[in-house]
Amino acid sequence: MTKFLNLPIRSQLIILAVLLTLPALGIIVYSGLKQRADAYDDAVVESQKLADNLAAQQESLTNEAKLLCMLLSDLPEVKSHNVKKIQSILATILKENPKYINILIADAAGYVWASAVPINKMDTLADRRYFENAQRTLQFSSGEYAISKSTKKPTVHMAYPLVERNEFKGVVVVGFDLDAMRSILEQSQLPGGSNYIITDHNGIIISRGKNVGQDVGKPIQLVDLKRMENGPDKETYEFTRIDGDPRITTYHKIRLKGEQTPYIYIRAGISKKDALAKANRALIINLSTLLSFVLLAFGLAFIIGKHSIIDRISLLQRASQRLASGDLDFKVSDHLLGGELGILGQTFDTMAYQVASREKALHESQQFLTTIIENEPECVKLLAPDDTILMMNRAGLDMFQLESFDQIKGKTLYSFIAPEYLEAYKATNKDVFNGKQKRFEFKITGAKGRPIWLEAHVVPLRNNDGEIVSLLGITHNITERKEMDNMKDEMISAVSHDMRTPLAAMLGYLQFVMENPVEEEQMRDYLGIMYREGNRLNELISGFLDMQRFKAKQKTYVFKPIDVRPIVEEAAAIFACPSDKHQVVTDLPSDLPLILGDELLLHQAFSNLLSNAIKYSPGGCEIILGAKSEKDSVTLWVKDEGIGIQPELLDKIFDMFYRVDNKSSRQTNGTGLGLALVKEIVNAHSGRVWVESEPEKGSIFYITLPVANR
Ligand code: ADP
């Protein structure tokens, strides 16, 4: 049953159609076979009837002939051999009885002395079977196949002995015209192939119902003769004629009273084909009709199966494939109308609608989530268990100084991690996977080389089986905090060192003045020293405050397009005449493009560079403030001809609190904060600051700032 149900619908329908036609086929075949059997039985009966009729006819002929012969034998004209009279009587009888071929009377030697039909009287009948038997038995006796000498027709003769005072005097002979029996067949209304033959005791054909004359005088097959000889007096059997026609045959043995052997055999046959033709035809018609209905049923099963079921199910199949591939607009119910499949189509559409709604909701929530993640100011990233990056939002890419996600997709973050933190980073990631840790700090070097401190909060994401499949990390930039911490540390050390030095000096002189009598001139020297140290302290505090202020406000600056020329010129004007030794010159082209920046910050940066140029050119010199436009930027410079800087210190001078320790710088006041602030300001403008210098020759400080309309 399961196998049947697993078959394609079309095959199932065809099998059902076949099964439904089986009972009808059974009934037709059964009734057809029954009809054939009945027709066969009828043919048997008909052949028997025909044989019976023929036998009865023959027996009645024989009886009549015997009676006729008896009557003739008693005639005085016969006894007296009145040839003329008897000849006339015989001719009259023959004329009235066409069933006889001839009637004749022969003497004891077999010579015919009277005959209804003229005959050669020189021939003797003494050698004939009927004559010999009649002479021997003195009974009415039968002959055998012979061609009538008088009429030349095939016949069989009977002889009746003429006996006077127990002496054999001759015979009265009657020759039968057996063709007369044909009327029995003609009146029988039997099928066309019905026929009979009459043979003598030797099986020689004397007469037949149809095809008159055919094979007359020839013997039937010996085997057929033997069957009749050895069989009962009458029998019906199936027999195949020499021409291959199967026949239902009944034979009759006809013998005269007192004779042992039959003198003729009557064999009547009906063609089996003819007998069964009607039944066969009916069976064929019924089978053909059934076949046409079966074919019709097949056709209908095929068409209905195709149009009502298979095509519609195929449509559902295609629709489900389209649904699976995401095409939710296809409406099945437009194509699938009516019936259970129509309802299924509507259900399908409802399902598709619900799937579409859910997909839409899912899409919306996904978009919502994506928007949140993409606009999240912190770095949001997804890591695979092997540490490769599966996802990173825009803020994350910015944090790692990457242009697009493709640069990092499928890679680890190891190349970004500062080498000294790499092992710790890997170990911590493992701990996160094991659920031991969720928050950690590490330092990276961004793709563009900028070092950043990051703090990561990591949440393991689990599948339905509870296994960790990925890590969701939210990382924020803590560089500023770290720098502030550093700055605080440095400040503390600066306070402990740089600020305590002038303060200790001031307090020392004050104590001395308070505790000792001091002369006026000496007092003035002391006060001068205290003033200088106080100034130094003031500069230090101002520098801290500037730096602190900048750091605090760094995030809130909004840069706008500005012209650097007035800023540079204003700074030059302020420092134009601190002493006669220095001359501040500007070299600014008139067509400088606007840059993105903050005027006050840039003013501060220029002032710091300019004051350094003056401060570190103690012998006086020309100081040039220059600018030029480049491809996407404007480069500004401050050139002096002062003490210069040793090449190995060119980078260090931008660090906080760094001061070159040499004779010249010791002679000048300073905090080591001026260039550090310049660097912070330029970095905030996405620019670059560097210095070219030669000891004792002078220095050039450069600042490059990006143009506004980039
Ligand atoms: P300060 O000037 O207060 O010492 P800065 O941060 O401004 O601190 O400068 C750091 C150091 O760089 C200075 O101590 C000085 O040795 C060196 N320096 C700065 N500008 C010049 C210059 N124009 N020429 C030579 N040396 C300079």
Side-chain angles (χ1 to χ4, degrees):
M1 188 63 185
T2 322
K3 269 188 183 169
F4 173 75
L5 292 176
N6 287 343
L7 288 173
I9 292 173
R10 197 172 289 170
S11 307
Q12 289 185 20
L13 284 172
I14 287 173
I15 289 172
L16 276 178
V18 170
L19 285 177
L20 288 174
T21 55
L22 279 183
L25 181 70
I27 290 168
I28 286 172
V29 170
Y30 174 77
S31 64
L33 292 177
K34 177 87 175 44
Q35 223 175 333
R36 270 170 62 98
D38 290 349
Y40 189 88
D41 291 347
D42 288 349
V44 167
V45 171
E46 289 300 329
S47 81
Q48 286 171 349
K49 264 195 209 166
L50 179 60
D52 287 350
N53 287 343
L54 290 166
Q57 173 80 356
Q58 180 58 34
E59 272 167 5
S60 114
L61 265 179
T62 311
N63 289 338
E64 279 177 32
K66 186 179 178 185
L67 201 61
L68 177 67
C69 290
M70 282 169 71
L71 288 172
L72 285 171
S73 66
D74 277 347
L75 287 177
E77 289 85 351
V78 170
K79 289 181 180 161
S80 62
H81 275 231
N82 187 344
V83 174
K84 203 173 172 196
K85 182 75 177 164
I86 289 301
Q87 200 107 314
S88 153
I89 290 168
L90 293 181
T92 308
I93 294 169
L94 187 67
K95 197 178 168 196
E96 295 300 321
N97 291 283
K99 56 197 167 196
Y100 303 127
I101 283 177
N102 197 5
I103 307 167
L104 54 86
I105 302 174
D107 62 14
Y111 291 106
V112 177
W113 57 267
S115 173
V117 180
I119 191 170
N120 183 2
K121 296 198 175 162
M122 296 308 288
D123 290 338
T124 176
L125 305 178
D127 58 343
R128 305 294 163 91
R129 184 176 181 262
Y130 54 86
F131 188 90
E132 285 174 352
N133 284 352
Q135 188 178 31
R136 186 169 45 80
T137 62
L138 298 182
Q139 295 282 330
F140 186 60
S141 299
S142 62
E144 57 196 357
Y145 165 79
I147 298 291
S148 164
K149 287 185 176 166
S150 53
T151 61
K152 307 292 180 224
K153 282 178 109 182
T155 185
V156 67
H157 293 91
M158 301 278 165
Y160 188 82
L162 297 172
V163 181
E164 273 179 42
R165 288 182 295 277
N166 288 329
E167 194 180 334
F168 178 72
K169 289 288 184 182
V171 288
V172 179
V173 178
V174 177
F176 295 106
D177 184 358
L178 294 179
D179 287 348
M181 290 214 277
R182 214 170 287 134
S183 61
I184 292 175
L185 179 63
E186 283 160 5
Q187 288 158 14
S188 69
Q189 294 183 332
L190 286 170
S194 306
N195 202 354
Y196 67 86
I197 57 167
I198 300 172
T199 72
D200 71 357
H201 66 102
N202 286 322
I204 306 295
I205 298 170
I206 307 165
S207 175
R208 61 195 313 139
K210 285 184 183 158
N211 307 331
V212 181
Q214 185 187 325
D215 293 338
V216 168
K218 291 183 185 168
I220 61 168
Q221 289 201 14
L222 192 60
V223 58
D224 297 326
L225 178 63
K226 286 286 167 221
R227 175 166 191 150
M228 291 195 287
E229 278 178 357
N230 300 330
D233 279 359
K234 62 176 181 178
E235 188 187 11
T236 305
Y237 63 98
E238 205 171 298
F239 133 92
T240 304
R241 209 163 61 178
I242 207 153
D243 61 2
D245 184 25
R247 303 184 68 78
I248 298 159
T249 299
T250 302
Y251 72 81
H252 258 266
K253 294 177 180 176
I254 313 280
R255 57 167 70 78
L256 287 179
K257 203 173 166 193
E259 281 186 354
Q260 286 298 309
T261 52
Y263 68 98
I264 56 172
Y265 295 98
I266 293 173
R267 199 175 72 187
I270 294 177
S271 168
K272 192 177 165 186
K273 270 190 211 158
D274 288 350
L276 300 183
K278 200 174 157 199
N280 281 344
R281 211 167 28 250
L283 183 61
I284 287 168
I285 288 171
N286 287 344
L287 282 175
S288 313
T289 312
L290 179 70
L291 185 69
S292 35
F293 273 103
V294 167
L295 289 176
L296 189 69
F298 275 18
L300 285 176
F302 187 85
I303 292 166
I304 292 172
K306 184 174 178 334
H307 289 291
S308 300
I309 303 172
I310 296 164
D311 284 0
R312 304 171 105 204
I313 288 178
S314 300
L315 188 79
L316 272 176
Q317 194 183 6
R318 279 200 305 281
S320 56
Q321 279 165 351
R322 289 176 76 160
L323 189 67
S325 64
D327 179 4
L328 302 172
D329 295 333
F330 185 71
K331 283 206 89 184
V332 186
S333 56
D334 288 350
H335 306 270
L336 209 63
L337 300 172
E340 290 87 340
L341 288 176
I343 295 169
L344 185 62
Q346 285 171 359
T347 314
F348 199 87
D349 282 347
T350 312
M351 188 181 80
Y353 174 75
Q354 284 174 354
V355 170
S357 309
R358 274 181 216 162
E359 192 154 288
K360 193 174 164 229
L362 198 69
H363 183 69
E364 280 171 1
S365 88
Q366 221 165 22
Q367 256 188 342
F368 181 64
L369 208 63
T370 309
T371 311
I372 290 177
I373 290 173
E374 274 307 302
N375 291 296
E376 165 64 43
E378 303 297 356
C379 161
V380 181
K381 62 185 190 302
L382 206 58
L383 296 175
D386 64 355
D387 242 17
T388 54
I389 302 286
L390 302 173
M391 184 278 287
M392 187 180 268
N393 69 347
R394 186 65 252 167
L397 296 176
D398 290 344
M399 211 170 270
F400 284 83
Q401 297 152 39
L402 295 163
E403 297 297 331
S404 76
F405 180 61
D406 289 342
Q407 288 175 267
I408 189 140
K409 189 176 175 185
K411 296 179 187 163
T412 64
L413 287 179
Y414 298 158
S415 61
F416 293 91
I417 312 293
E420 64 271 28
Y421 291 96
L422 187 58
E423 285 313 311
Y425 174 83
K426 287 181 182 175
T428 318
N429 254 0
K430 270 205 188 87
D431 284 351
V432 171
F433 258 105
N434 298 332
K436 288 184 189 163
Q437 201 173 338
K438 287 188 176 161
R439 181 185 167 282
F440 59 100
E441 293 177 359
F442 57 99
K443 190 178 173 188
I444 63 159
T445 307
K448 289 181 181 162
R450 206 161 60 234
I452 306 173
W453 271 95
L454 298 173
E455 182 186 57
H457 290 263
V458 185
V459 185
L461 300 180
R462 297 170 191 277
N463 64 11
N464 288 343
D465 300 330
E467 297 162 0
I468 297 176
V469 286
S470 55
L471 293 179
L472 174 69
I474 298 173
T475 307
H476 60 268
N477 190 341
I478 55 166
T479 311
E480 202 180 324
R481 196 188 81 206
K482 282 279 180 188
E483 279 178 0
M484 286 292 262
D485 289 350
N486 274 351
M487 201 175 82
K488 275 179 198 157
D489 292 347
E490 283 167 1
M491 218 165 94
I492 287 164
S493 88
V495 167
S496 63
H497 181 259
D498 290 310
M499 288 191 183
R500 275 176 67 179
T501 310
L503 208 57
M506 281 165 70
L507 287 173
Y509 279 107
L510 274 175
Q511 193 177 10
F512 183 82
V513 170
M514 279 193 307
E515 288 174 2
N516 300 292
V518 180
E519 286 181 13
E520 198 184 328
E521 198 176 339
Q522 198 179 13
M523 179 67 99
R524 223 182 338 267
D525 284 349
Y526 289 169
L527 285 173
I529 292 168
M530 280 191 278
Y531 176 74
R532 275 201 309 279
E533 292 303 319
N535 248 348
R536 199 164 125 72
L537 204 56
N538 183 37
E539 263 182 54
L540 263 176
I541 290 166
S542 301
F544 281 141
L545 287 176
D546 286 345
M547 185 65 98
Q548 281 262 301
R549 222 176 288 128
F550 172 75
K551 289 275 184 191
K553 284 175 71 180
Q554 192 175 13
K555 287 272 159 89
T556 61
Y557 286 117
V558 179
F559 296 147
K560 54 186 189 202
I562 49 169
D563 187 359
V564 286
R565 275 169 58 105
I567 300 169
V568 176
E569 277 165 357
E570 194 183 331
I574 292 170
F575 289 91
C577 194
S579 72
D580 302 339
K581 291 191 277 181
H582 298 96
Q583 207 182 343
V584 179
V585 184
T586 56
D587 175 15
L588 302 169
S590 56
D591 56 348
L592 277 182
L594 300 183
I595 58 111
L596 259 189
D598 180 272
E599 284 179 28
L600 279 177
L601 290 179
L602 291 177
H603 186 271
Q604 168 118 49
F606 275 104
S607 300
N608 285 6
L609 292 180
L610 203 49
S611 78
N612 276 356
I614 292 167
K615 197 159 64 177
Y616 298 107
S617 310
C621 66
E622 186 180 61
I623 293 166
I624 302 169
L625 293 182
K628 67 173 175 181
S629 164
E630 289 183 66
K631 199 177 159 206
D632 295 325
S633 58
V634 171
T635 301
L636 303 137
W637 61 87
V638 178
K639 180 175 181 295
D640 65 55
E641 292 160 359
I643 60 171
I645 305 155
Q646 278 102 311
E648 69 275 13
L649 303 177
L650 291 180
D651 281 338
K652 285 192 173 173
I653 56 170
F654 291 97
D655 292 348
M656 275 178 76
F657 300 110
Y658 186 85
R659 303 202 67 219
V660 177
D661 187 16
N662 58 23
K663 191 180 141 216
S664 317
S665 63
R666 269 198 299 277
Q667 285 170 358
T668 56
N669 289 332
T671 60
L673 287 170
L675 287 181
L677 186 58
V678 170
K679 191 177 175 188
E680 289 291 343
I681 291 171
V682 173
N683 280 348
H685 282 77
S686 305
R688 197 161 83 82
V689 57
W690 73 101
V691 59
E692 290 171 3
S693 181
E694 205 177 326
E696 308 304 333
K697 291 257 171 85
S699 313
I700 311 176
F701 282 82
Y702 293 97
I703 291 177
T704 297
L705 298 168
V707 298
N709 55 353
R710 219 166 29 144

